[in-house]
Amino acid sequence: MINQLKNEFLYLLRTKKFIIFFVLFAVFGMISPLTAKYLPEILASLLGNSDIVIDFPEPDIYYGYIQFLSDLNEIVLFVIIFVGISVFIRDKTKGIYPLIFSKPIKRETYLLGKILSYAILLLMALVIGFIFFDIYILILFKDLLFLTSLQMMMLYFLYVIWILSFTLLFSVISKSYLTAALMTFGTYILFVILDIFNEFSIFKYLPNTLNKHISGIIYSTSDTTNLWITILITVGMILIFIYLSIVQFNKQDIIND
Amino acid sequence: MIKVENLTKSYDENIPVLDEINFTVNKGEVYGFIGKNGAGKTTTINILLSLIHKDEGTIYFDNLPIEFLDLAYKKRIGFVPDVPVFPGYLTTQEYLKQVCNIFHVSYSNIDKVLEFVSLDTKQKKISSFSRGMKQRLAIAQALIHDPDMLIMDEPMSALDPEGRKDILDIMLSLKGDKTIFYSTHILEDVEKVCDRVALIHNGKIVFEEDIDSIKSAFVNKKVYIEPSEELDRLYKLLNKNIDSTVVKKDKGVYIELKQGLTINKLLKMIIDESIELTGFKQVNASLEDIFLEVINND
């Protein structure tokens, strides 16, 4: 496993994915607090002397956190998924499989190496992003909710790993990048739709409700019991998706004639 | 060393790609696995490498049956694909170090195998390699753990003549030291390196013999006749009176001896027509002739 991880890290390093994600998270770590602080002023100056009046609330530190969460979900998440599919499916679509799997490599070690290395990269990038975010929050709002930042980071990381776990499964099942992407986003959308019906008890613990819990943590309104149940369900679903990926990969014909 | 029994594989239920094939590769021999494109060569190799499942049959390695994803067996083989695809972002040394780690062998093997395949590109990125260099690297990575057996899937199919000769020379230098399972449709190369040959056609093994036996079975089946003049008359005469293939080439004609046509009958026919001959010889069949005859007769 250590060798597999070393190989994967070398791949992520050489293909500049480390730099891409470090820069991406750092940029959003800076932009989000700036947007939260100055967007009302920017919009007000853009409206100028027009008759339109928009009443913006005074930006506060909480809005900074919500803005960062929103940016992570609306932009960064899609980059994570697109790059993730590429990381997981590249060897298959490039035709590298025969040289890899003609050697004594356990298929589960290969898959675990893929997702683990990518998860470590994302965790490191998240830490960098949150360091930049906290510094900018402190500078702009003269305050810092360090524990909230930490909880937010860990929960968002869990959320991302959950998405990557089914991305891995669909990358194993699919023969092409496009199919894997369609299946992944289809599943993502399905969970978003299920979230609409969250008054049904089973749906309110689905992993995608982690975002609501993060908002709850920011405003100190989170239900701790529900959060822990959601975390357990998310971890369970991650393990199930990874297990299914391994089972599927182990019985698969990996060359298609 | 490797024994295949009743190996069957179908991608489509009604069309078997491999139809109960049997063959044995003995220790230390270079075994040519020949057949035209689509005959089932690569499918056989993919099954031997556990890249795809077989439908039926058993594969034995050193008399022990191989299971799907058998890692112990994979430690003892090396594989050279037809078109090797490497992670292009790595240098030769980085890639071979990864292979050494997989097989738990010393990095000192890297220099040895690179010297053996005459590849002096340790620090060069693989993405900048030519086809020939990639093929040498493919052989290097297959040999780095000193395997008992080398499986080569048309390793020269996409190389230029010079590259082909280089790889052939490498194979010849391995001969006697390694067991080689060599799949190809380039029969000229098979004649140069192989000890035994199996011909696969439409998913079945048509024959499996050593090269000399195959050739002797097909020897004296072709003659070359050269008239002093009147080549066209000779050609017309033969075409009219015999039911064999007659090919006009150089200053004479090549005739296949089949369906009761003997040399005596042939010569009598020519003498009766008072055609003077200046040349007559029996032509040994090449593997290619044999291959074409077998396939065309099918």
Side-chain angles (χ1 to χ4, degrees):
Chain A
M1 177 55 95
I2 300 292
N3 285 330
Q4 189 63 36
L5 275 176
K6 277 203 279 189
N7 297 349
E8 291 302 328
F9 280 132
L10 193 58
Y11 160 69
L12 295 170
L13 203 65
R14 286 286 164 80
T15 52
K16 310 226 174 0
K17 290 184 175 58
F18 267 102
I19 296 170
I20 291 166
F21 277 104
F22 288 179
V23 170
L24 184 74
F25 278 85
V27 165
F28 278 96
M30 291 185 281
I31 287 177
S32 299
L34 284 168
T35 312
K37 178 79 177 174
Y38 295 113
L39 190 63
E41 283 179 37
I42 294 165
L43 286 176
S45 68
L46 285 175
L47 291 172
N49 295 328
S50 72
D51 295 334
I52 303 164
V53 177
I54 302 175
D55 191 17
F56 290 107
E58 186 66 26
D60 58 18
I61 189 169
Y62 303 109
Y63 187 54
Y65 280 87
I66 292 293
Q67 182 64 44
F68 191 34
L69 179 64
S70 161
D71 287 343
L72 287 178
N73 278 325
E74 284 166 14
I75 302 162
V76 181
L77 185 66
F78 293 99
V79 180
I80 292 172
I81 295 172
F82 281 124
V83 175
I85 298 168
S86 158
V87 168
F88 299 149
I89 211 167
R90 180 185 176 279
D91 291 343
K92 176 168 21 184
T93 54
K94 293 267 180 189
I96 306 180
Y97 271 3
L99 272 186
I100 295 175
F101 293 109
S102 57
K103 298 182 175 61
I105 292 176
K106 283 186 180 173
R107 291 187 181 184
E108 54 264 39
T109 309
Y110 170 85
L111 275 193
L112 291 174
K114 285 266 171 210
I115 193 163
L116 206 56
S117 58
Y118 191 46
I120 292 169
L121 180 154
L122 291 176
L123 184 60
M124 289 163 79
L126 262 174
V127 169
I128 288 171
F130 271 90
I131 289 171
F132 274 91
F133 173 72
D134 283 346
I135 291 170
Y136 270 71
I137 284 285
L138 192 62
I139 293 169
L140 296 170
F141 296 98
K142 315 289 183 215
D143 195 5
L144 179 65
L145 308 172
F146 180 71
L147 197 63
T148 303
S149 276
L150 202 63
Q151 288 173 315
M152 184 176 161
M153 187 178 78
M154 297 315 292
L155 288 178
Y156 185 75
F157 178 65
L158 187 66
Y159 175 63
V160 164
I161 298 302
W162 169 68
I163 290 176
L164 286 182
S165 65
F166 61 76
T167 306
L168 180 73
L169 176 63
F170 297 134
S171 300
V172 166
I173 294 169
S174 309
K175 287 176 185 169
S176 72
Y177 183 98
L178 184 65
T179 322
L182 287 173
M183 291 171 97
T184 302
F185 281 103
T187 306
Y188 176 75
I189 290 164
L190 177 74
F191 276 100
V192 170
I193 291 168
L194 289 177
D195 192 29
I196 296 168
F197 307 102
N198 67 5
E199 66 266 26
F200 299 106
S201 59
I202 193 161
F203 294 147
K204 71 182 177 191
Y205 302 119
L206 287 177
N208 48 326
T209 61
L210 280 171
N211 278 310
K212 286 179 186 163
H213 286 292
I214 295 173
S215 301
I217 287 168
I218 293 168
Y219 289 113
S220 305
T221 57
S222 177
D223 180 330
T224 314
T225 312
N226 281 356
L227 174 60
W228 277 109
I229 295 171
T230 307
I231 288 173
L232 284 175
I233 287 174
T234 307
V235 171
M237 285 181 81
I238 289 170
L239 294 175
I240 288 169
F241 280 130
I242 292 175
Y243 174 75
L244 290 175
S245 306
I246 290 170
V247 169
Q248 180 61 32
F249 199 42
N250 266 329
K251 66 178 186 184
Q252 209 171 42
D253 283 354
I254 55 172
I255 306 288
N256 300 297
D257 276 20
Chain B
M1 171 144 277
I2 204 156
K3 189 177 180 186
V4 169
E5 280 184 357
N6 302 320
L7 188 64
T8 303
K9 174 75 180 174
S10 302
Y11 294 110
D12 182 318
E13 275 184 22
N14 301 318
I15 310 161
V17 178
L18 301 177
D19 192 1
E20 297 191 352
I21 66 167
N22 295 279
F23 61 86
T24 305
V25 181
N26 298 319
K27 192 170 180 165
E29 73 178 359
V30 180
Y31 187 89
F33 196 56
I34 62 175
K36 61 181 186 179
N37 290 335
K41 302 189 296 292
T42 300
T43 299
T44 306
I45 286 178
N46 286 339
I47 293 172
L48 289 178
L49 296 170
S50 284
L51 299 177
I52 60 173
H53 288 81
K54 60 184 188 290
D55 294 341
E56 302 285 339
T58 314
I59 300 164
Y60 297 92
F61 188 75
D62 272 355
N63 300 319
L64 293 172
I66 302 166
E67 301 300 323
F68 188 65
L69 308 180
D70 190 329
L71 297 189
Y73 152 72
K74 286 189 179 185
K75 281 180 188 168
R76 296 180 60 191
I77 59 167
F79 171 56
V80 181
D82 52 348
V83 183
V85 185
F86 298 99
Y89 52 87
L90 295 177
T91 63
T92 303
Q93 189 172 31
E94 286 167 343
Y95 176 70
L96 291 178
K97 274 186 176 178
Q98 290 187 354
V99 180
C100 284
N101 290 335
I102 293 168
F103 288 102
H104 305 291
V105 294
S106 164
Y107 291 158
S108 62
N109 290 11
I110 293 174
D111 287 331
K112 286 181 207 163
V113 289
L114 287 181
E115 193 185 335
F116 180 72
V117 299
S118 308
L119 200 59
D120 182 23
T121 55
K122 264 170 90 172
Q123 306 303 332
K124 256 182 119 175
K125 277 204 176 165
I126 302 171
S127 55
S128 67
F129 280 17
S130 66
R131 272 298 323 271
M133 288 160 81
K134 282 183 182 167
Q135 207 63 43
R136 284 159 190 259
L137 180 59
I139 295 175
Q141 60 83 38
L143 290 172
I144 205 154
H145 57 296
D146 193 19
D148 296 326
M149 182 170 166
L150 211 54
I151 296 176
M152 305 177 95
D153 186 10
E154 308 203 28
M156 291 168 260
S157 60
L159 295 179
D160 58 26
E162 196 185 348
R164 248 179 73 191
K165 186 187 173 303
D166 290 345
I167 302 298
L168 207 60
D169 287 345
I170 292 171
M171 285 178 74
L172 282 167
S173 58
L174 287 169
K175 195 171 174 171
D177 185 32
K178 299 271 176 237
T179 306
I180 301 178
F181 181 84
Y182 167 46
S183 137
T184 187
H185 59 260
I186 307 173
L187 303 172
E188 196 187 326
D189 298 341
V190 172
E191 287 189 78
K192 286 177 189 161
V193 292
C194 292
D195 300 305
R196 285 199 311 135
V197 171
L199 170 65
I200 183 168
H201 183 54
N202 289 339
K204 288 179 185 285
I205 299 287
V206 180
F207 61 71
E208 184 197 30
E209 293 204 55
D210 63 85
I211 288 205
D212 292 339
S213 304
I214 294 169
K215 282 185 152 182
S216 62
F218 284 82
V219 83
N220 300 337
K221 289 212 164 183
K222 208 181 210 181
V223 290
Y224 174 74
I225 299 173
E226 193 178 306
S228 55
E229 45 194 41
E230 299 182 297
L231 176 60
D232 285 338
R233 198 173 141 230
L234 174 67
Y235 181 68
K236 277 179 194 164
L237 169 78
L238 295 172
N239 261 328
K240 189 179 166 189
N241 293 300
I242 63 173
D243 192 21
S244 295
T245 311
V246 181
V247 178
K248 196 159 52 167
K249 199 176 174 188
D250 304 325
K251 291 177 183 170
V253 287
Y254 286 88
I255 305 142
E256 272 186 60
L257 299 176
K258 59 180 183 182
Q259 293 165 347
L261 182 65
T262 61
I263 293 173
N264 286 344
K265 276 186 190 173
L266 192 65
L267 289 175
K268 188 174 181 303
M269 191 190 303
I270 294 167
I271 290 163
D272 286 349
E273 287 294 320
S274 306
I275 296 173
E276 255 181 60
L277 301 181
T278 53
F280 176 88
K281 63 179 178 185
Q282 287 177 297
V283 182
N284 285 343
S286 70
L287 204 55
E288 192 159 338
D289 294 327
I290 296 164
F291 177 82
L292 289 173
E293 185 176 328
V294 169
I295 285 176
N296 291 335
N297 285 345
D298 190 66

